[in-house]
Amino acid sequence: ESESENKLDGETASDSESKSEFGGSPPVPTSDDTPEVLNRALSNLSSRWKNWWVRGILTLAMITFFFIIIYLGPMVLMTIVMCVQIKCFHEIITIGYNVYHSYDLPWFRTLSWYFLLCVNYFFYGETVTDYFFTLVQREEPLRILSKYHRFISFALYLTGFCMFVLSLVKKHYRLQFYMFGWTHVTLLIVVTQSHLIIHNLFEGMIWFIVPISCVICNDIMAYMFGFFFGRTPLIKLSPKKTWEGFIGGFFATVLFGLLLSYVMSGYRCFTCPVEFNNDTNSFTVDCEPSELFQLQEYNIPLVLQSVVGWKTVRMYPFQIHSIALSTFASLIGPFGGFFASGFKRAFKIKDFANTIPGHGGIMDRFDCQYLMATFVNVYIASFIRGPNPSKLIQQFLTLRPDQQLHIFNTLKAHLVDKGVLVGSEDA
């Protein structure tokens, strides 16, 4: 017992034994990074209320910035997602570098960024081919890159793999393989999820804004309920999280999701898929709203009719889906934050970085967002998205005439068998 008490929180005997190999003690918690102007303005407050005001002011600033980039359109949103991805990757890789830099491992940082480049080339190349197929087929260099995209991606990765093998240094093999795994897990968490966020954005800005807003709302409301009413600890990984904040954040987020979905479902700029117009070479978000974004009348269950006094209610079908999104953001989304808390505790750091005063690094703000992005993408694929006729037609037009004729005859025979078309004999 006395031996374990002398160790830092979460440290085991094996951790202590491996310190000499892994470069000594991890970094210490980050220092106070609050701007001096806020320190002077809030100097008379206790540390608890000072932190509350700092977080509140910076949260309002970030929400304002969020509204600005939404107003600027999908291209700016995609650029911001890319920038956030790079910054999150940098923060996580930097932690590994700071912990193990004493060995001055050859090519570690260079290889980490090289693998980031390779993975982004693969994912975004797939996206460009999928969503801008006509544009790609129109340009000869792009058509060649698209045709051999996966082979080029594999060749690039294979080059990095060989560079890693050549960089292995005697006595440091285990550490180098450890950092190789560190880089790849970071790529899996950061790059894959940001790629899914962009895919969600192409389905319509509402699929991007509502999930992100629900996570933001849950984070704020859980903090507010926990700050004023919190008494019961929720999880040891995050001692400041309470059951009161967790439950209060859930109900507030579901209500917020319903209201935000109702407002946004009435605007085509939010509900229409983001598509590339080949004539104007620009993005368009104009379409006829699908049934998902048209008001429908629903019967209220008999149990609730006596309580609310209504028999029916008019709402958008998307609002029903928003309940699933906000529920995930409230009940499962926080586990992304708990995962990040466990990671930070493992390396004895307070935040991933000092980018945002009172909030830590970019990764500290987006740890739940990445988990949410995966859920939204899976949800759309499972319950929303159907076959896309326009993409099939685009691919059909790129085939040779004999291939097009074969598909035409096959489709015609199928429709005749179904009774949709009248056969030549019947005519």
Side-chain angles (χ1 to χ4, degrees), residues 124-141:
Y124 287 96
E126 294 281 315
T127 300
V128 168
T129 302
D130 190 27
Y131 287 96
F132 313 123
F133 187 79
T134 305
L135 176 65
V136 169
Q137 293 300 315
R138 202 167 59 198
E139 304 291 337
E140 180 66 23

Side-chain angles (χ1 to χ4, degrees), residues 200-249:
N200 299 340
L201 179 60
F202 275 109
E203 296 295 328
M205 290 182 66
I206 195 169
W207 291 104
F208 173 87
I209 297 172
V210 170
I212 285 182
S213 300
C214 285
V215 173
I216 294 172
C217 174
N218 181 255
D219 191 36
I220 294 173
M221 298 311 297
Y223 177 77
M224 296 288 287
F225 276 95
F227 185 87
F228 290 106
F229 309 108
R231 297 292 183 273
T232 312
L234 175 63
I235 187 171
K236 290 183 179 179
L237 283 174
S238 298
K240 293 183 180 180
K241 305 288 185 182
T242 63
W243 276 104
E244 290 81 2
F246 186 75
I247 297 172

Side-chain angles (χ1 to χ4, degrees), residues 50-297:
K50 176 184 175 182
N51 181 62
W52 191 88
W53 278 103
V54 170
R55 287 177 65 94
I57 294 171
L58 269 297
T59 297
L60 289 176
M62 287 188 289
I63 291 175
T64 303
F65 177 70
F66 181 60
F67 281 122
I68 292 173
I69 62 175
I70 289 173
Y71 174 77
L72 294 176
M75 274 301 295
V76 176
L77 280 173
M78 294 178 201
T79 304
I80 293 296
V81 170
M82 187 71 176
C83 293
V84 168
Q85 175 218 112
I86 294 173
K87 179 58 179 172
C88 289
F89 181 82
H90 172 260
E91 290 178 357
I92 299 177
I93 289 298
T94 299
I95 291 174
Y97 182 76
N98 288 338
V99 173
Y100 309 121
H101 75 283
S102 59
Y103 280 105
D104 194 22
L105 296 178
W107 300 357
F108 166 60
R109 300 190 87 169
T110 303
L111 281 173
S112 297
W113 288 101
Y114 177 80
F115 281 125
L116 176 67
L117 177 65
C118 292
V119 175
N120 271 314
Y121 176 81
F122 171 73
F123 278 124
Y124 287 96
E126 294 281 315
T127 300
V128 168
T129 302
D130 190 27
Y131 287 96
F132 313 123
F133 187 79
T134 305
L135 176 65
V136 169
Q137 293 300 315
R138 202 167 59 198
E139 304 291 337
E140 180 66 23
L142 292 178
R143 185 162 64 248
I144 295 174
L145 288 174
S146 173
K147 183 178 180 180
Y148 301 106
H149 172 69
R150 296 197 175 186
F151 180 81
I152 296 172
S153 300
F154 178 71
L156 289 172
Y157 178 83
L158 202 59
T159 302
F161 180 83
C162 293
M163 290 170 62
F164 167 74
V165 173
L166 292 174
S167 72
L168 291 174
V169 179
K170 191 177 181 180
K171 295 184 180 180
H172 303 319
Y173 293 148
R174 184 165 68 166
L175 176 59
Q176 288 182 283
F177 277 100
Y178 180 85
M179 298 312 301
F180 183 79
W182 180 297
T183 299
H184 281 66
V185 171
T186 304
L187 291 172
L188 176 66
I189 294 174
V190 175
V191 181
T192 306
Q193 311 308 316
S194 64
H195 177 69
L196 295 180
I197 289 177
I198 291 180
H199 269 248
N200 299 340
L201 179 60
F202 275 109
E203 296 295 328
M205 290 182 66
I206 195 169
W207 291 104
F208 173 87
I209 297 172
V210 170
I212 285 182
S213 300
C214 285
V215 173
I216 294 172
C217 174
N218 181 255
D219 191 36
I220 294 173
M221 298 311 297
Y223 177 77
M224 296 288 287
F225 276 95
F227 185 87
F228 290 106
F229 309 108
R231 297 292 183 273
T232 312
L234 175 63
I235 187 171
K236 290 183 179 179
L237 283 174
S238 298
K240 293 183 180 180
K241 305 288 185 182
T242 63
W243 276 104
E244 290 81 2
F246 186 75
I247 297 172
F250 165 72
F251 286 106
T253 304
V254 172
L255 179 60
F256 171 81
L258 285 169
L259 294 176
L260 180 63
S261 299
Y262 181 82
V263 173
M264 296 186 65
S265 294
Y267 295 90
R268 293 186 181 185
C269 60
F270 295 129
T271 60
C272 291
V274 179
E275 296 179 345
F276 187 79
N277 190 317
N278 295 292
D279 298 327
T280 61
N281 288 329
S282 61
F283 288 98
T284 59
V285 284
D286 188 26
C287 66
E288 282 297 321
S290 65
E291 292 183 0
L292 204 60
F293 305 106
Q294 296 178 10
L295 284 170
Q296 307 286 341
E297 193 169 275

